[in-house]
Amino acid sequence: MNNKERLDLAHWASRIAKQHGASDTAISISRSRSVAVEVRQQRIETIRESTTNSLSLQVYRDSKFSGHSTNNLNKNDLERFIREAVEATRYLAADPDRALPDPDLYPGDMSKDLGLFDPAHASLTPEQRVENAMHTEQLLQECRGEILSASASFNDNLSEGVRLHSNGFVGETSSTSFSTGASLTIMDKGSRPAGGFRAGNRFLKNLPLPWEVSQKAIFDTMRQIGQASIASGRYTMLIDNRVASSMISRLIQPMSGRSIQQKTSFLLDMIDKQIASELLTIIDDPTIVGGMASRHFDSEGIASAKRVLIDKGVLKTYLIDNYYGRKLQVKPNGGSTSNLIMGLGNRSQQQIIADTRKGILITSFNGGNSNQTTGDFSFGISGQLIENGKITRAVNEMNISGNFKNLWNQLIETGNDPYPYSSSQTPTLAFRDVDFSGS
């Protein structure tokens, strides 16, 4: 089934739903094919292929709403599925804010090619997938030390689909993605340092080659040799660009319309106010060609557009979806982010380290929690101790704690090294005087 056939089916399903009493509908029909290969000790440990066809139906009936999904696209079965879905909606409580987005919010022009589909996917063979993973895992054997476990993987996905709203929205999607990775565990005087590296891209040719993946995985593992907890205290905190997105996501969550409407956000009533250091700028840009999260529209059909979330530390907008926009009586702008781009500094991570007298470079977050209402947080971390501009040892079993209202004002530098293999292109981040608890 191609997208034209899916669109015809969506129109048919919408008509059937209205015949049985639906006021409006939103219908998505999609197909996704994923292949995953994992290799360990030069043996294929996993080859997994899955193809999923699905129809998602959202029913609006007399200010009532329900969502349904099925993998059965046979029309005879679908008609009963749709009829029962519409009937079930009749028994729900009414909510006047449950409605499709205003058609003015839908994109007017979706002609720009966002570069989400790689034609090379069609010629990718099972042998090539296995060879990539085999080669990467073989190169892991160059690691110095006693290897306890080494594995490599290669994954790819092809997705295509349509979305149709009964009040006028029609959208199509077609995309590919590829990822490659490696993980390694070694023996170190009774401990077992484990590291790895993973990268993703829309285009096969832009993935890092096996030698680069393996070398980065080896480096990540070897730098954890001798890891131990160190004395508690206040340190300059550097966060590696690969894991900095974890902290950014904790700042994005309280910006949601749901959090604002329910008053469970420490960013409540903070629009156009300073919430962070002037060094913090975050832009949501869905228009990047080849971006891992680029799109013309979001999951509600609302047009995606480049927007500034935080400008030199000043909060500029909340993330408002259609439902909470109606509740807050503000215009929706999309309740989710796409590609996150940060303002960059002028120095590399190595240069920032060289100017750090007493600090810790965080390379992994190991659990923890944060409270988006108060901003309080506590996270377990692993990383590297920095003394007088040099990395001197590996650290783990330590925690950082504080409050995001203070932490983001402690940001003293952003690196010039955005991580390129993710939708969150975060650089190295440096913060002053962060509380670490250890031994």
Side-chain angles (χ1 to χ4, degrees):
M1 183 182 293
N2 57 35
N3 272 354
K4 181 182 182 304
E5 293 168 327
R6 292 186 185 95
L7 192 55
D8 289 340
L9 182 60
H11 278 291
W12 172 86
S14 182
R15 288 194 300 270
I16 294 297
K18 286 200 166 187
Q19 288 172 11
H20 288 287
S23 306
D24 274 306
T25 62
I27 297 172
S28 296
I29 304 176
S30 62
R31 174 182 180 269
S32 176
R33 177 176 180 264
S34 299
V35 181
V37 175
E38 185 171 3
V39 169
R40 190 182 302 272
Q41 295 181 342
Q42 289 297 284
R43 295 179 179 178
I44 300 173
E45 186 165 85
T46 303
I47 294 183
R48 183 173 60 255
E49 179 176 351
S50 62
T51 299
T52 303
N53 290 284
S54 64
L55 181 148
S56 171
L57 168 67
Q58 294 178 339
V59 177
Y60 298 84
R61 178 176 184 171
D62 303 325
S63 297
K64 302 171 183 178
F65 168 84
S66 64
H68 313 263
S69 63
T70 180
N71 300 117
N72 186 347
L73 302 187
N74 179 277
K75 275 191 174 182
N76 291 330
D77 296 327
L78 270 180
E79 184 163 2
R80 183 177 65 181
F81 167 80
I82 295 168
R83 182 181 67 250
E84 292 176 351
V86 175
E87 178 64 15
T89 308
R90 185 165 66 92
Y91 297 97
L92 300 176
D95 184 343
D97 294 315
R98 287 294 189 184
L100 287 173
D102 188 307
D104 289 342
L105 297 172
Y106 298 151
D109 181 9
M110 293 184 278
S111 61
K112 179 182 178 181
D113 184 1
L114 294 176
L116 306 182
F117 183 83
D118 185 359
H121 184 274
S123 58
L124 184 62
T125 66
E127 291 78 14
Q128 289 173 311
R129 294 178 174 97
V130 170
E131 181 183 1
N132 183 289
M134 283 283 193
H135 191 191
T136 302
E137 196 271 341
Q138 183 180 44
L139 291 170
L140 290 175
Q141 304 305 316
E142 296 179 3
C143 176
R144 303 187 309 276
E146 182 183 349
I147 297 175
L148 298 177
S149 174
S151 65
S153 63
F154 183 91
N155 304 302
D156 60 271
N157 177 268
L158 167 65
S159 298
E160 52 189 6
V162 300
R163 185 175 182 88
L164 173 74
H165 293 187
S166 58
N167 69 343
F169 173 76
V170 179
E172 297 185 34
T173 60
S174 182
S175 65
T176 55
S177 62
F178 306 85
S179 67
T180 179
S183 61
L184 185 65
T185 303
I186 62 175
M187 178 63 75
D188 174 40
K189 298 178 181 179
S191 67
R192 299 184 176 190
F197 177 78
R198 178 165 292 278
N201 203 278
R202 291 288 187 190
F203 287 79
L204 180 60
K205 67 180 181 180
N206 293 336
L207 280 182
L209 297 173
W211 68 265
E212 183 178 355
V213 174
S214 61
Q215 288 303 305
K216 287 183 179 295
I218 291 171
F219 173 77
D220 187 56
T221 305
M222 296 297 291
R223 67 179 173 177
Q224 298 181 55
I225 290 177
Q227 58 188 0
S229 177
I230 60 173
S232 300
R234 286 192 171 180
Y235 295 79
T236 297
M237 177 175 74
L238 276 63
I239 305 180
D240 188 74
N241 63 352
R242 285 198 295 160
V243 299
S245 60
S246 177
M247 294 297 277
I248 295 299
S249 68
R250 306 283 182 164
L251 182 59
I252 298 296
Q253 289 171 1
M255 296 169 62
S256 73
R258 182 179 188 274
S259 298
I260 299 305
Q261 190 272 333
Q262 297 187 2
K263 302 185 185 304
T264 57
S265 170
F266 68 84
L267 298 177
L268 186 66
D269 299 325
M270 294 301 291
I271 292 294
D272 291 328
K273 295 180 181 179
Q274 198 82 28
I275 65 165
S277 159
E278 292 185 356
L279 297 174
L280 184 66
T281 291
I282 303 177
I283 297 171
D284 176 32
D285 189 356
T287 67
I288 297 174
V289 175
M292 290 297 286
S294 294
R295 62 195 186 189
H296 287 295
F297 54 88
D298 67 8
S299 60
E300 295 186 303
I302 295 175
S304 297
K306 185 176 180 179
R307 55 184 170 175
V308 178
L309 305 182
I310 298 173
D311 183 22
K312 296 180 179 179
V314 176
L315 181 64
K316 303 306 293 184
T317 188
Y318 294 129
L319 306 174
I320 310 296
D321 64 10
N322 180 59
Y323 179 65
Y324 284 101
R326 292 170 66 89
K327 282 194 170 296
L328 292 166
Q329 297 185 343
V330 298
K331 182 179 179 180
N333 61 6
S336 61
T337 58
S338 57
N339 304 299
L340 292 179
I341 309 300
M342 293 187 63
L344 304 180
N346 299 314
R347 301 198 299 170
S348 67
Q349 184 179 108
Q350 291 73 22
Q351 290 172 315
I352 297 173
I353 289 173
D355 269 354
T356 301
R357 186 181 67 83
K358 177 186 176 185
I360 293 176
L361 169 65
I362 294 177
T363 58
S364 176
F365 288 100
N366 309 319
N369 59 79
S370 65
N371 187 319
Q372 72 172 26
T373 302
T374 64
D376 292 332
F377 68 86
S378 176
F379 302 117
I381 66 97
S382 298
Q384 310 287 306
L385 176 64
I386 304 168
E387 296 177 296
N388 298 317
K390 295 183 178 180
I391 290 176
T392 56
R393 65 171 302 171
V395 298
N396 74 343
E397 297 183 358
M398 298 191 70
N399 291 287
I400 59 170
S401 59
N403 188 285
F404 283 127
K405 297 177 186 177
N406 301 322
L407 181 70
W408 290 107
N409 282 289
Q410 295 165 234
L411 181 69
I412 55 175
E413 189 165 1
T414 61
N416 64 0
D417 55 346
Y419 186 65
Y421 300 117
S422 169
S423 61
S424 295
Q425 297 184 18
T426 51
T428 297
L429 303 177
F431 301 81
R432 69 174 188 276
D433 300 331
V434 176
D435 288 320
F436 284 78
S437 58
S439 58

